[in-house]
Amino acid sequence: MEIDRFKQQHVDILQGIAALRKFSQAGIQENATEIARQVKALGSVVTLHLAVEDRILYPSLQKGADLKLAEMGRAYEEDMKGIANEFIAFSRKWSVAKTVAEKAEEFRAEANSVLKVLHSRMQRENTEFYPAIEAA
């Protein structure tokens, strides 16, 4: 199975997380407009990535002959549901500059929590899941 598109989306997502970290460290209130723009952009990439996984990747693994890979896909799909819901709520809440500026410390706390989980998930897929798919 060709997964280069998924891997590139991971690069884009990880770059988006890094950009948010950079702007946040430079000052949340001072960079609220750019942070909100980055949250919105990251939300678009993550939403696209989730949709493609749900429509193409997971169904393909379920139809494949490799039962271990099919089970791994099911586990990753199930695990992603909670992560996706949290991220989507985060993205909706923090894509408005005024909200980011007015609630800077709340943004920082939520970003640290939600983006850490998302980052960890991307890394697990990059080191465990995608190599298993490529090896099959």
Side-chain angles (χ1 to χ4, degrees):
M1 169 181 271
E2 178 59 43
I3 61 169
D4 287 344
R5 174 176 28 168
F6 299 104
K7 291 164 71 175
Q8 181 57 52
Q9 288 170 342
H10 276 198
V11 170
D12 296 341
I13 292 166
L14 293 172
Q15 286 174 342
I17 292 171
L20 277 170
R21 183 177 295 125
K22 181 184 98 177
F23 286 115
S24 295
Q25 289 172 346
I28 294 172
Q29 289 176 322
E30 300 84 351
N31 293 293
T33 300
E34 188 57 34
I35 288 170
R37 189 184 75 69
Q38 289 288 330
V39 167
K40 195 177 293 187
L42 183 59
S44 294
V45 175
V46 170
T47 301
L48 172 66
H49 183 71
L50 293 172
V52 175
E53 281 184 334
D54 288 345
R55 287 190 203 125
I56 297 171
L57 181 63
Y58 298 131
S60 294
L61 294 175
Q62 298 311 310
K63 293 174 188 170
D66 189 327
L67 298 179
K68 183 178 177 185
L69 197 54
E71 181 53 40
M72 183 183 245
R74 271 192 290 281
Y76 269 85
E77 181 178 22
E78 190 60 36
D79 179 57
M80 193 62 204
K81 289 177 184 174
I83 296 168
N85 290 335
E86 280 189 45
F87 178 80
I88 289 166
F90 169 85
S91 178
R92 286 183 182 146
K93 181 176 182 178
W94 300 110
S95 62
V96 177
K98 184 175 189 242
T99 306
V100 173
E102 290 175 352
K103 300 178 179 183
E105 289 310 310
E106 186 179 338
F107 168 78
R108 183 185 312 280
E110 283 189 35
N112 283 338
S113 174
V114 171
L115 297 178
K116 181 179 181 180
V117 170
L118 182 62
H119 186 275
S120 176
R121 169 58 187 247
M122 297 294 105
Q123 295 298 348
R124 268 194 8 248
E125 286 184 4
N126 288 341
T127 59
E128 297 172 7
F129 190 40
Y130 288 172
I133 292 169
E134 290 176 318

